[in-house]
């Protein structure tokens, strides 16, 4: 019983520390944090390789990429994985499992997407303020980058005009 309780305490501690690290990365988004996380995740080959790829992509952008640039890379990888999953043959189970595992990991770093209702409300308030489509799209991209689908936003604008 004592051994089991000690083991449970260790597992809880490890999970707690991992959550702290994940939250720090979510808040910081720096290359240094990605490299630290990569070392922690070295036992998980899929996540380790994913982090290696993210770091490589970020280093191509800049020696010291901004949080926004790191988030852009993460969002692009997530979107590309989703596209590949939708096009991938069902018999490629290993590839699908890898992509799904990667996306589950990446998803924890992405900002919460706006619901269609939230997006409609934001667009409605911008239309009420007298803004046209280009001003609304600029506003959305500046304030809610990565949290909405541009095609859906355009459809909503057209339906509300």
């Amino acid at each position: 019983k004592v051994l089991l309780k000690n083991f449970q305490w260790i597992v809880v501690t490890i999970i707690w520390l991992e959550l702290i690290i994940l939250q720090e990365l979510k808040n910081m988004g720096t290359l240094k944090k990605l490299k630290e996380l990569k070392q922690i995740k070295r036992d998980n080959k899929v996540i380790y390789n994913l982090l290696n790829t993210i770091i490589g992509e970020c280093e191509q952008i800049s020696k010291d990429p901004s949080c926004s640039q790191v988030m852009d890379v993460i969002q692009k990888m997530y979107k590309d994985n989703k596209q590949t999953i939708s096009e991938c043959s069902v018999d490629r189970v290993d590839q699908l499992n890898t992509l799904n595992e990667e996306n589950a990991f990446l998803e924890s770093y992405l900002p919460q997407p706006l619901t269609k209702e939230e997006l409609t409300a934001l667009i409605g308030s911008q239309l009420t303020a007298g803004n046209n489509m280009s001003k609304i799209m600029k506003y959305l991209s500046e304030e809610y980058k990565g949290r909405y689908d541009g095609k859906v936003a355009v459809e909503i604008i057209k339906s509300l005009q």
Side-chain angles (χ1 to χ4, degrees):
K1 279 188 169 183
V2 172
L3 185 61
L4 181 61
K5 283 187 178 188
N6 285 341
F7 179 73
Q8 288 172 333
W9 183 84
I10 290 169
V11 169
V12 168
T13 304
I14 289 170
I15 291 170
W16 179 74
L17 288 172
E18 192 170 286
L19 287 172
I20 289 173
I21 291 167
L22 291 175
Q23 189 60 42
E24 281 183 18
L25 178 58
K26 197 179 245 184
N27 291 337
M28 304 276 302
T30 64
L31 204 53
K32 180 181 176 189
K33 293 292 179 187
L34 283 171
K35 289 177 180 179
E36 290 172 5
L37 185 59
K38 183 179 97 170
Q39 290 309 310
I40 291 168
K41 294 292 190 177
R42 66 182 169 264
D43 293 335
N44 183 332
K45 195 171 190 169
V46 171
I47 302 304
Y48 180 86
N49 289 337
L50 173 66
L51 288 168
N52 230 5
T53 303
I54 293 170
I55 290 166
E57 292 287 325
C58 290
E59 287 175 336
Q60 286 183 0
I61 294 169
S62 167
K63 226 177 197 179
D64 187 26
S66 68
C67 181
S68 175
Q69 290 171 319
V70 172
M71 289 308 296
D72 288 347
V73 169
I74 291 172
Q75 287 173 334
K76 183 180 181 327
M77 292 192 79
Y78 180 79
K79 186 177 178 182
D80 290 349
N81 279 1
K82 279 185 78 168
Q83 181 69 31
T84 304
I85 289 168
S86 71
E87 296 171 354
C88 193
S89 172
V90 179
D91 60 334
R92 303 206 50 198
V93 177
D94 289 343
Q95 184 180 13
L96 286 169
N97 288 340
T98 298
L99 292 170
N100 283 319
E101 184 177 348
E102 287 179 358
N103 269 9
F105 180 81
L106 292 171
E107 205 167 50
S108 66
Y109 296 99
L110 297 175
Q112 286 294 88
L114 295 171
T115 64
K116 190 168 184 176
E117 294 76 23
E118 291 170 326
L119 188 55
T120 302
L122 287 168
I123 291 169
S125 69
Q126 290 296 305
L127 285 170
T128 304
N131 291 329
N132 61 22
M133 185 182 295
S134 63
K135 286 184 180 179
I136 294 170
M137 293 306 289
K138 181 178 178 186
Y139 165 77
L140 290 173
S141 69
E142 289 173 355
E143 299 296 322
Y144 300 96
K145 184 177 183 180
R147 295 187 57 199
Y148 68 96
D149 183 337
K151 291 177 185 175
V152 173
V154 169
E155 289 173 8
I156 293 171
I157 293 169
K158 287 179 179 178
S159 72
L160 294 177
Q161 284 182 329

